[in-house]
Amino acid sequence: MLIHYLALCARIFLLGFERILVKKLGEKSDSISGTFLFFGLGTIFLLPTLFYVDIIINSSILFYVIMSSFVYSIAFWLYVKSLSEGEASLVSPLYNFNVFFLLILTVIFLGEKLSIFKLLGLILLFYGVSFLNRKSNIIESFKAILLNKSCQYMIVASILIAIGRTIDGNAIKITPPILYAFYLNVGISIFLFVYIAAKRNISKTISLFKEKKKIATLSGGVNAYSYLFLLIAFTGIEVSIAEPASMTAMIITVLLAGRILNENIKERLIGVAIMLIGLWLLFI
């Protein structure tokens, strides 16, 4: 059991650190190229894991991989773009809204009920967001968030990630998680490369890698193994505990943003704390 909790701790740390790396990778750079390097290098890091699974692929697996890869290609392009252009301590907490959208999707399509705890969680989640860009009142605070381009990118990304998670839920039933993670990285990399090639931006991607080789490589490795650590945690810890626990990574991101990027995080830490309580309530 200890190994599962150690894996969860590693997941939380890597996920918090990942957003700082992504910001540095995409800053003053082409977001599509940065996203391609993020997943392309992640694919390479996942290659050794294939020794631990039997390689299988069929039309059903391929169908899920294509669908989710397409959705995630757009989602994570917006994710990288948001972190590149906005303050990490402002936009990264909005990533967790994928849980909110995922809940809405399960209520609409799977007939799940909204409990008192979930309703209270949603209220706290929205209230916490108002602290991320504090204004004279809650309405003005929300308006400041919604009118901010970087925040808009992250909110749309979180919607698409929620859709991707619903696809993943079905795919994992017929595909080993480690193998599916590898296929997904390959699929996303292919979609992004096709777009880059169509736009004739391959030279720009190569230049970005040469310019930020260390950050690109580190971000790819962190991306790959933060997900693998989550899979290991899931084998011994209930999803209802591991998933909200993973969201505490946004505390690390906000603290690192204040320390490394010199962002003003005082009120944002209060908002993050309130959001975390709301997110936990969604899983009760």
Side-chain angles (χ1 to χ4, degrees):
M1 183 62 74
L2 178 61
I3 189 67
H4 302 116
Y5 282 101
L6 289 175
L8 181 58
C9 290
R11 157 71 174 178
I12 292 169
F13 174 77
L14 290 177
L15 192 59
F17 190 54
E18 172 192 295
R19 290 154 188 170
I20 303 300
L21 289 172
V22 169
K23 179 169 180 61
K24 287 186 170 294
L25 176 63
E27 208 167 31
K28 298 179 181 178
S29 305
D30 178 53
S31 297
I32 287 287
S33 295
T35 310
F36 171 73
L37 292 175
F38 186 58
F39 284 99
L41 293 171
T43 301
I44 295 172
F45 276 101
L46 284 172
L47 280 171
T49 66
L50 297 182
F51 290 106
Y52 300 95
V53 292
D54 294 324
I55 306 298
I56 55 170
I57 190 166
N58 54 48
S59 58
S60 297
I61 294 173
L62 196 59
F63 173 73
Y64 285 123
V65 169
I66 291 173
M67 282 202 306
S68 57
S69 296
F70 178 73
V71 171
Y72 283 137
S73 295
I74 301 171
F76 282 99
W77 164 59
L78 292 171
Y79 171 79
V80 172
K81 191 173 180 64
S82 175
L83 284 166
S84 302
E85 298 180 7
E87 293 187 341
S89 60
L90 171 63
V91 301
S92 62
L94 297 174
Y95 171 86
N96 296 289
F97 260 73
N98 70 80
V99 176
F100 162 72
F101 294 117
L102 191 57
L103 175 62
I104 298 301
L105 287 172
T106 57
V107 169
I108 295 173
F109 296 107
L110 300 180
E112 292 190 11
K113 294 182 179 180
L114 279 174
S115 66
I116 295 297
F117 287 112
K118 288 181 178 179
L119 286 172
L120 181 58
L122 290 175
I123 292 171
L124 289 175
L125 185 61
F126 279 100
Y127 181 60
V129 168
S130 68
F131 283 84
L132 299 180
N133 198 352
R134 200 72 169 156
K135 300 298 179 183
S136 57
N137 56 59
I138 292 179
I139 301 298
E140 291 299 317
S141 297
F142 273 115
K143 189 183 293 184
I145 292 288
L146 294 174
L147 293 178
N148 184 291
K149 279 288 185 184
S150 299
C151 292
Q152 291 172 4
Y153 295 146
M154 188 61 81
I155 291 170
V156 175
S158 70
I159 295 172
L160 293 173
I161 288 169
I163 294 171
R165 292 288 186 261
T166 59
I167 299 171
D168 294 346
N170 290 308
I172 290 300
K173 295 175 183 177
I174 61 172
T175 319
I178 291 177
L179 187 61
Y180 179 69
F182 176 77
Y183 285 157
L184 194 59
N185 272 262
V186 171
I188 294 170
S189 299
I190 290 172
F191 272 116
L192 292 172
F193 180 78
V194 168
Y195 181 85
I196 289 170
K199 290 289 184 178
R200 299 181 180 179
N201 283 340
I202 295 178
S203 59
K204 188 181 292 186
T205 305
I206 294 172
S207 297
L208 176 59
F209 178 69
K210 289 180 178 179
E211 179 187 346
K212 301 182 179 182
K213 188 179 297 183
K214 289 183 179 179
I215 292 175
T217 303
L218 191 55
S219 68
V222 167
N223 169 40
Y225 285 99
S226 68
Y227 184 66
L228 278 184
F229 282 131
L230 180 64
L231 293 176
I232 294 170
F234 279 169
T235 61
I237 304 173
E238 291 182 7
V239 175
S240 60
I241 296 174
E243 186 63 21
S246 295
M247 294 169 189
T248 57
M250 64 179 166
I251 295 177
I252 296 174
T253 299
V254 172
L255 289 173
L256 288 174
R259 181 80 174 179
I260 298 174
L261 306 175
N262 297 316
E263 295 179 5
N264 185 2
I265 64 171
K266 189 175 180 180
E267 288 191 338
R268 288 173 184 171
L269 278 174
I270 298 173
V272 165
I274 295 171
M275 289 177 70
L276 281 174
I277 296 171
L279 288 165
W280 273 86
L281 288 174
L282 292 180
F283 285 86
I284 294 179

